[in-house]
Amino acid sequence: MQRIQASDYHDIAKPTDPRLSPDGDRVAFVRTVPDDEEDIEATVYVVPTDGSAPARRFTLAEGVDAEPRWSPDGDRLAFTSTRGADDDRQQLWVLPVDGGEARQVTDVVGGVSSIDWSPDGSRIALVQSVTEEDRTEGRDRGVDEEYDPDDPDPRVIDRTVYRSMQQYFDGRRSHVYVLDLDVEQEEGDDGDEAAESITPISPTIEGDADFNGPAWGDESTLYFTQSVGEDPDDSLEYGILAYDTDAEEVERLHRTTGWETGLAATTDGSVAFVHVEAEQASLQQADLHVIDAGQAAGTDDPSDVEVTDVTAGLDRTLGYEAAPRWGPDEERLYFTTPDEGKTSVWAVPGDGGDDPERLVREGAVAGMDVGVPHEDDTHGDDVTVAVAMSQWDHPGDVFVSPDGSAEELVRLTSLNGAYLDSVHVGEPEPLAFESEQGPVEGWVLTPPGFDPEGSYPLIVEIHGGPHAMWSTSGTMWHEFQTLAARGYVVFWSNPRGSSGYGEEYMGAIKRNWGEVTVTDVMAGVREVADREYVDESQVFLTGGSFGGYMTGWTVGNTDYFRAAVSQRGVYHLTGFYGSTDGAYKLVEGDFDTTPWEEPEFLWEQSPAGHAHEVETPTLLIHSEDDYRTPISDAELFYRILKKNDVETRFVRYPREGHELSRSGEPGHVVDRIERIARWFDGYSEYHDVPKALERGDDGLSAADAGEEDDE
């Protein structure tokens, strides 16, 4: 068996966004795999739910596909794709299920996302991001091939939040549209007339706001959300609206608060949505609420609508990996939560008559759907639950539960079967330990060929968020296994502040990210380091995002670690507040303050405030287009380390944002893991190599590829 390497990332396929066909016979999902050093291939696959055949590719391996959605009668599959485009704007395509070519049905300036079929299959609601000029010129309905927008010069900013996800908004707002497929098919390729098939819904509403989350109720009612507040960018408030396609009228139903604005609706007008309490919202768990659209429509004040909190008795926050779904009977809602190191799928009556029932608790879920059982199923009236999920022994496959429970979870795919047969995959050991603050959960992964009588260095990983949760799988599967394969014991945990352990646990880091988190992490580190096979003089530290914050904080407050790698971190809370996207709400929520109220306090809570005390050799990794944790924070931290003669290096990745480790260019993803391992190897007594500062590019895949190209 071979050891897993960083470069294996190029061979690993992952599934997302599973969708059950209306008859329950098939699951469509997106299979993503690296294509080359810079690009990925994301293609729609379909697999039968009875396991009678392997998954087969359903769309061309061209461009990046997303959001596969079956038509209500199952005869067509809609999806978005960059196929044929010279940029990353997704367009809408429709593919006949029984054969034939996929047909592109939009060519709009703002891209396409959040697609949803009308119940009669004649229309598709969608979202695109457009400027007022785009709407005036009609580019939101059809764009000329010759159109090539210029970047603003100069770029003039008027909004509170003006960039996110590697992009400046540049006047764009998200808007809801409806595409009439009957009209589009009649008009064909005549651009001017085909544009008549696209009806602007939200652009007819006054106000500078974002509109999202379109969800059909019955065939003439479309629900969607609108960001509201005196400054919508600075508010978590959003309104729920209903559009009557017959009367062409909009009605405001309800006003609430939350981070996510997706909706789920039934044909008789029950609308489910995510709610988060506004007071210190970043410390609050997300709940699932339901309103009756009929009752709400008769209420004068949208804030005075009768609301049912169907998760009131559940001390978990909703997971954002999968939006809530109504079941096929439209009586029960299905949703996911992080749940003590795993993901749980729950069902709850839409009227709140019973507490949520846990159906599945497994692995790390990357998408969920519910539907009717296939025709040969023997489980009567049970629903089928489909999930895309990774577990400790694989990086991702599609599963179904024919009776909606974990007892009969059936694996439908083996996307990485040949690869997994050729490499050693270690099984993490669960570790329950005590810190002075109470119990904590973590895991320990040992190297291939592990000898309990031997001696090994230890790598400690800290997760981001801060209100995230790690498991034995998910997006970290490859990194954990790679570092263990390099000869390290790897330890990770879910310290206080993590989600999945209840509201009190999640909120325990209020106004004290550093000390509370490090107390839990170090309790686990010392328990693992006390084992005979761990060399306590050879302990290394890394983490990204909030984990980068914690890495910077920790090395500024202790010299326990032999070396550290801090990735895409927050190092200066005041600088972060001013330069991040909407994540500045973390400062207002978690720390309950602002830079002008308590500047000295925020400096003391910042890793940069302690950087002059760092002695630990520290590598900094950051993306140049990261607008969540902008690189200016890392520049400050790096400068302080250099001025204080710390052994350090600053690695910057162009064209990358905050999601580098999860969805960056494949060559960069591999390079990042290799640089982490090389930095630790250079300070490890168990790896006979020079320090990374003395090695140049020796041992990096990118350098090796360059040498091959020169030959």
Side-chain angles (χ1 to χ4, degrees):
M1 301 288 283
Q2 298 178 352
R3 294 189 175 215
I4 291 177
Q5 302 180 63
S7 58
D8 291 356
Y9 180 79
H10 289 284
D11 302 319
I12 295 174
K14 297 179 182 179
T16 57
D17 204 2
R19 294 288 168 152
L20 283 156
S21 60
D23 59 8
D25 285 351
R26 289 169 288 185
V27 179
F29 63 95
V30 177
R31 173 187 178 271
T32 301
V33 66
D35 186 34
D36 53 32
E37 291 295 304
E38 296 183 0
D39 299 311
I40 63 166
E41 175 190 302
T43 312
V44 177
Y45 274 62
V46 171
V47 63
T49 54
D50 62 3
S52 60
R56 66 184 180 92
R57 197 181 72 209
F58 212 61
T59 59
L60 296 176
E62 179 184 350
V64 174
D65 297 343
E67 298 190 37
R69 301 291 184 265
W70 300 94
S71 63
D73 61 5
D75 67 337
R76 291 159 293 169
L77 186 75
F79 61 98
T80 65
S81 182
T82 61
R83 183 188 303 186
D86 56 3
D87 55 29
D88 59 358
R89 285 182 297 131
Q90 298 271 335
Q91 300 296 340
L92 180 59
W93 295 69
V94 176
L95 175 65
V97 170
D98 293 333
E101 294 295 325
R103 184 165 51 91
Q104 182 176 341
V105 295
T106 67
D107 188 7
V108 293
V109 71
V112 172
S113 65
S114 303
I115 63 175
D116 192 48
W117 286 89
S118 64
D120 62 3
S122 67
R123 290 162 294 182
I124 297 177
L126 57 92
V127 171
Q128 59 169 316
S129 296
V130 293
T131 66
E132 184 176 352
E133 180 183 320
D134 289 332
R135 302 198 306 271
T136 300
E137 297 296 326
R139 293 191 290 264
D140 58 339
R141 304 174 76 182
V143 63
D144 294 334
E145 290 184 8
E146 297 78 18
Y147 176 69
D148 184 17
D150 295 325
D151 287 333
D153 184 10
R155 178 171 271 122
V156 179
I157 305 297
D158 293 314
R159 290 179 55 176
T160 303
V161 179
Y162 51 87
R163 62 182 185 177
S164 184
M165 300 298 291
Q166 296 180 251
Q167 291 186 340
Y168 282 83
F169 298 150
D170 291 334
R172 291 186 295 270
R173 288 284 194 179
S174 56
H175 281 281
V176 175
Y177 295 76
V178 169
L179 172 72
D180 189 320
L181 290 168
D182 294 336
V183 173
E184 187 279 333
Q185 196 162 17
E186 289 174 8
E187 303 299 348
D189 295 327
D190 187 326
D192 292 337
E193 294 182 334
E196 297 301 317
S197 64
I198 301 178
T199 302
I201 306 300
S202 64
T204 64
I205 302 171
E206 292 185 6
D208 186 26
D210 288 302
F211 299 84
N212 284 293
W216 290 94
D218 58 34
E219 62 187 36
S220 63
T221 308
L222 179 66
Y223 302 97
F224 57 95
T225 66
Q226 176 186 9
S227 60
V228 295
E230 184 176 342
D231 177 358
D233 289 345
D234 193 38
S235 172
L236 295 182
E237 288 187 282
Y238 67 93
I240 299 174
L241 290 71
Y243 178 75
D244 185 324
T245 61
D246 293 334
E248 297 184 352
E249 295 177 348
V250 173
E251 188 159 18
R252 300 182 184 277
L253 303 179
H254 184 51
R255 190 162 171 160
T256 186
T257 52
W259 300 105
E260 296 291 321
T261 55
L263 303 176
T266 65
T267 54
D268 64 357
S270 292
V271 182
F273 56 94
V274 178
H275 171 81
V276 177
E277 289 295 325
E279 184 70 22
Q280 290 188 264
S282 60
L283 294 174
Q284 307 291 337
Q285 296 190 126
D287 289 311
L288 186 57
H289 286 187
V290 178
I291 59 171
D292 182 309
Q295 182 268 331
T299 304
D300 293 333
D301 184 355
S303 300
D304 193 28
V305 173
E306 183 178 338
V307 177
T308 301
D309 182 354
V310 298
T311 55
L314 181 64
D315 191 18
R316 292 289 182 270
T317 189
L318 263 64
Y320 295 121
E321 302 84 3
R325 308 261 196 276
W326 287 98
D329 62 0
E330 297 193 336
E331 296 292 331
R332 301 220 296 173
L333 279 160
Y334 297 79
F335 61 95
T336 65
T337 71
D339 193 8
E340 296 185 1
K342 295 184 178 181
T343 304
S344 286
V345 178
W346 304 79
V348 65
D351 63 3
D354 285 314
D355 288 335
E357 174 191 4
R358 183 191 284 115
L359 305 179
V360 176
R361 181 174 175 266
E362 291 285 343
V365 169
M368 177 272 295
D369 196 20
V370 293
V372 299
H374 66 81
E375 60 182 1
D376 296 327
D377 190 85
T378 59
H379 293 90
D381 296 330
D382 291 327
V383 300
T384 295
V385 176
V387 293
M389 177 177 65
S390 61
Q391 296 168 298
W392 74 264
D393 57 347
H394 68 92
D397 274 308
V398 176
F399 297 76
V400 293
S401 172
D403 67 346
S405 72
E407 283 72 20
E408 291 203 40
L409 206 57
V410 179
R411 188 174 189 163
L412 300 182
T413 64
S414 182
L415 300 184
N416 301 284
Y419 168 72
L420 293 172
D421 287 342
S422 68
V423 296
H424 172 88
V425 178
E427 181 175 4
E429 170 201 348
L431 177 68
F433 60 93
E434 291 284 331
S435 87
E436 63 186 60
Q437 300 169 144
V440 187
E441 182 177 33
W443 294 267
V444 177
L445 181 62
T446 54
F450 171 69
D451 179 2
E453 302 299 320
S455 183
Y456 300 88
L458 171 66
I459 291 177
V460 178
E461 293 252 20
I462 304 178
H463 72 57
H467 308 298
M469 183 197 75
W470 267 350
S471 66
T472 59
S473 49
T475 59
M476 295 299 294
W477 182 89
H478 176 234
E479 181 171 325
F480 289 159
Q481 294 288 340
T482 298
L483 294 176
R486 300 277 293 228
Y488 294 91
V489 174
V490 184
F491 166 71
W492 66 95
S493 62
N494 287 321
R496 276 161 182 76
S498 303
S499 60
Y501 298 84
E503 187 170 314
E504 181 180 354
Y505 195 91
M506 191 173 88
I509 60 173
K510 177 180 177 181
R511 287 180 66 85
N512 198 358
W513 278 5
E515 290 184 3
V516 173
T517 304
V518 80
T519 297
D520 281 357
V521 171
M522 289 305 299
V525 170
R526 291 193 171 93
E527 177 148 336
V528 176
D530 281 347
R531 297 182 176 188
E532 291 294 328
Y533 60 79
V534 173
D535 185 340
E536 192 171 10
S537 71
Q538 300 289 298
V539 183
F540 303 87
L541 178 65
T542 188
S545 194
F546 172 72
Y549 169 97
M550 282 308 308
T551 299
W553 172 273
T554 302
V555 297
N557 285 276
T558 178
D559 60 0
Y560 178 85
F561 293 94
R562 185 74 185 89
V565 179
S566 189
Q567 309 169 61
R568 64 186 190 281
V570 175
Y571 305 106
H572 183 211
L573 288 168
T574 294
F576 170 73
Y577 184 92
S579 59
T580 186
D581 52 18
Y584 70 94
K585 290 292 184 183
L586 276 170
V587 177
E588 295 179 353
D590 278 33
F591 290 96
D592 195 24
T593 193
T594 59
W596 57 91
E597 293 174 303
E598 295 183 275
E600 295 85 2
F601 168 73
L602 289 179
W603 178 249
E604 284 300 314
Q605 291 291 320
S606 298
H610 307 268
H612 61 289
E613 302 286 353
V614 174
E615 297 180 0
T616 306
T618 301
L619 172 67
L620 296 178
I621 292 176
H622 221 101
S623 298
E624 293 189 338
D625 294 337
D626 188 340
Y627 298 151
R628 174 56 54 86
T629 58
I631 199 168
S632 56
D633 265 29
E635 291 168 338
L636 172 63
F637 198 77
Y638 174 71
R639 179 66 53 80
I640 297 173
L641 296 187
K642 289 294 288 185
K643 290 285 288 183
N644 286 275
D645 297 323
V646 177
E647 292 185 22
T648 187
R649 171 172 280 170
F650 190 10
V651 178
R652 305 165 62 112
Y653 289 96
R655 305 181 302 282
E656 299 290 2
H658 197 63
E659 298 301 303
L660 164 63
S661 63
R662 293 179 278 266
S663 58
E665 294 179 11
H668 285 165
V669 174
V670 171
D671 187 80
R672 182 191 66 88
I673 296 176
E674 290 178 338
R675 288 185 184 277
I676 294 169
R678 276 170 27 112
W679 189 260
F680 293 155
D681 290 352
Y683 295 96
S684 167
E685 294 179 359
Y686 296 81
H687 296 78
D688 187 18
V689 294
K691 296 176 182 179
L693 293 172
E694 302 167 3
R695 291 180 67 181
D697 290 337
D698 173 51
L700 295 173
S701 293
D704 294 341
E707 291 175 2
E708 292 176 5
D709 292 341
D710 292 338
E711 293 177 358

